[in-house]
Amino acid sequence: MSDNFISLDVDLIKDFLDTDTLDSDIEISVSQSTGSTNDDAKNHLLKQSSLLSIHTSEQQTAGKGRNGKQWHSPKGKNIYLSIGWLSNLKLVQLDGLSLAVGTILASNLNKLTQNKVGIKWPNDLLIKNKKISGILIETIDINNKVGVVIGIGINVHMSEEEGKEIDQSWIALDKVTNSKNNRNEIIGDIVNKVFQLTSLFIKEGFKHYKSEYESFDILAGKKCSVNIGDIDKTVDVLGVNDKGEMLVKAGSEYLTLRYGEVSIREL
């Protein structure tokens, strides 16, 4: 497979946007290289007038994942996408947003992979226990409004050599679709769904996405090890509630785990 992949391009992304999305005066920015698209979206939110802004780059030099981990970002090979949402929500209303976004992503990627993608709570998408995508939600306060940044990384064209420094099992989309995927099209499809989410999530929250999420949930019914603070527990995963919190059973004790305060792995 040669390396002449289609470059990211504002007009090509727009070609895949629905009329409703385009009519919302969405702002789209494509750069050749940046520190972090999440930081770009945060900075832009301070002056943003439209509902959504899209920030993507061919390369990140300081990409980040959850808990401050680095997100490996070779040039021109993956999707580094951050969406700035000028929301009318309060922070407490954002519960489950990461899972709602994960549901959108899994649904889109499953169209390309013959339903091979599952979600590992709270923010990773996996194929055969190998990570293909991750989500990082960040927020800032803007004049008493919550500015939300939805950060999405997807491994698309990355080769084994380019990803050799990654400290966990990973897989690239091209590997499981036997074709060169068009990153502009994937970004356009995601943005359309996120645009729909901005109204659906305000009305119903994660509840709207919960049953579809459950069809992708790879931890439900599994025995897992969770780390809460400095305490390790072995738990049986029961599923998630309407806020996107994980419900588990540890011995005879039932616990509700919140995103951000726990790490989990399947046993």
Side-chain angles (χ1 to χ4, degrees), residues 15-33:
D15 283 346
F16 295 104
L17 294 182
D18 296 339
T19 307
D20 287 353
T21 314
L22 285 167
D23 287 349
S24 71
D25 293 328
I26 194 163
E27 302 168 67
I28 305 174
S29 158
V30 174
S31 64
Q32 285 304 302
S33 182

Side-chain angles (χ1 to χ4, degrees), residues 24 46 51 86 100 106 120-121 132 138 140 151 162 221 236 251 258:
S24 71
L46 297 171
L51 178 71
L86 205 53
K120 177 181 178 255
W121 186 93
I132 190 165
E138 297 187 280
I140 58 171
E162 286 163 330
D236 293 301
R258 282 184 64 82

Side-chain angles (χ1 to χ4, degrees), residues 207-218:
K207 199 189 298 187
H208 176 86
Y209 297 89
K210 185 175 172 226
S211 64
E212 191 178 7
Y213 167 81
E214 287 169 342
S215 71
F216 302 133
D217 184 353
I218 61 174

Side-chain angles (χ1 to χ4, degrees), residues 2-205:
S2 67
D3 271 6
N4 59 341
F5 303 113
I6 298 169
S7 298
L8 295 172
D9 181 274
V10 172
D11 290 329
L12 291 179
I13 291 170
K14 282 183 174 176
D15 283 346
F16 295 104
L17 294 182
D18 296 339
T19 307
D20 287 353
T21 314
L22 285 167
D23 287 349
S24 71
D25 293 328
I26 194 163
E27 302 168 67
I28 305 174
S29 158
V30 174
S31 64
Q32 285 304 302
S33 182
T34 190
S36 151
T37 58
N38 260 32
D39 287 346
D40 294 344
K42 268 192 274 194
N43 293 333
H44 187 79
L45 271 165
L46 297 171
K47 58 178 189 257
Q48 186 169 313
S49 54
S50 58
L51 178 71
L52 291 180
S53 64
I54 308 306
H55 306 265
T56 186
S57 186
E58 292 287 9
Q59 182 178 35
Q60 290 186 125
T61 55
K64 53 195 172 182
R66 188 167 167 236
N67 299 330
K69 287 186 177 173
Q70 183 186 4
W71 183 274
H72 195 66
S73 313
K75 185 158 191 171
K77 294 303 177 78
N78 297 329
I79 287 174
Y80 319 116
L81 169 67
S82 297
I83 301 172
W85 174 20
L86 205 53
S87 86
N88 286 315
L89 296 173
K90 296 185 169 55
L91 274 175
V92 70
Q93 294 172 285
L94 293 175
D95 284 344
L97 179 60
S98 178
L99 298 191
V101 173
T103 303
I104 286 169
L105 270 184
S107 176
N108 272 13
L109 294 177
N110 272 325
K111 287 179 200 154
L112 303 170
T113 65
Q114 288 76 52
N115 297 316
K116 290 178 181 159
V117 178
I119 302 173
K120 177 181 178 255
W121 186 93
N123 61 350
D124 286 347
L125 273 65
L126 307 183
I127 290 178
K128 295 178 182 168
N129 286 323
K130 296 179 177 179
K131 184 167 174 175
I132 190 165
S133 176
I135 299 155
L136 179 64
I137 307 284
E138 297 187 280
T139 59
I140 58 171
D141 181 61
I142 310 163
N143 305 323
N144 297 320
K145 276 189 172 183
V146 177
V148 181
V149 175
I150 299 169
I152 294 168
I154 306 173
N155 301 326
V156 182
H157 307 310
M158 185 162 61
S159 68
E160 295 290 337
E161 178 64 22
E162 286 163 330
K164 68 175 192 275
E165 291 174 27
I166 298 173
D167 64 355
Q168 60 181 298
S169 295
W170 63 273
I171 197 163
L173 190 59
D174 285 356
K175 205 61 169 230
V176 284
T177 56
N178 300 317
S179 62
K180 292 183 196 174
N181 291 278
N182 182 343
R183 292 174 299 153
N184 296 289
E185 182 174 2
I186 294 167
I187 289 169
D189 288 344
I190 291 167
V191 171
N192 287 327
K193 290 289 193 314
V194 170
F195 178 68
Q196 292 164 18
L197 173 143
T198 56
S199 56
L200 289 169
F201 199 87
I202 283 173
K203 288 186 199 129
E204 298 180 59

